[in-house]
Amino acid sequence: MPGLLINIDVPDLAAGERFYTSALGLTAARRFDDDIVELTGCEAPIYLIVKPAGSAIGPDGGDFRRYNRHWTPVHPDFSVADLDDAIARAIAAGAKQEGETLALPYGRQAMFADPFGNGFCLIEFNERGYDALLS
């Protein structure tokens, strides 16, 4: 089975590290040169990678990085024990909550944008979790 790691592009490594350690309680672990920091504290490591706004997203182009709010079909969801506390921490660190906190069959969820335009969710699962969606 393959391993999993998560890469998040940011225009400013220090600001990205401050946000993700403050908002989610992650810990800065290893550093790679001046443009990558590894964050731990989740099931998978998260790597913040400095990529300037306007740089190509890959060798074949197709789009350019932008750090205003943008949409992507892949985003991290962080499961938390206390959603209200996690929302307060995320907002205090600079996240912008998008919409109301949702009550769902599997628990409660709040959607956010980080200060760099990347989307993420916070989820407080109830005792059934995603099993609540099974018939």
Side-chain angles (χ1 to χ4, degrees):
M1 176 185 286
L4 176 67
L5 55 93
I6 299 168
N7 294 320
I8 300 176
D9 294 350
V10 295
D12 180 315
L13 193 61
E17 182 179 338
R18 275 192 308 275
F19 174 75
Y20 281 96
T21 57
S22 297
L24 298 170
L26 300 175
T27 301
R30 300 182 294 170
R31 295 180 188 282
F32 305 90
D33 296 323
D34 293 327
D35 56 355
I36 301 173
V37 64
E38 177 185 57
L39 302 176
T40 59
C42 290
E43 291 89 349
I46 296 173
Y47 294 88
L48 300 181
I49 304 173
V50 172
K51 299 286 184 173
S55 61
I57 61 169
D60 291 334
D63 203 356
F64 297 91
R65 285 179 182 80
R66 55 192 172 280
Y67 291 105
N68 56 328
R69 181 63 172 113
H70 55 273
W71 180 83
T72 177
V74 178
H75 65 272
D77 288 352
F78 298 95
S79 59
V80 298
D82 182 332
L83 185 60
D84 295 323
D85 179 59
I87 288 170
R89 284 181 62 166
I91 290 171
K96 190 176 278 186
Q97 186 169 355
E98 299 180 329
E100 298 295 320
T101 300
L102 304 172
L104 301 165
Y106 51 84
R108 296 171 58 226
Q109 177 177 312
M111 296 175 280
F112 293 88
D114 74 9
F116 319 105
N118 300 307
F120 70 96
C121 296
L122 298 174
I123 301 174
E124 178 184 299
F125 285 107
N126 60 27
E127 61 282 344
R128 294 199 58 215
Y130 283 144
D131 285 346
L133 300 176
L134 299 174
S135 305

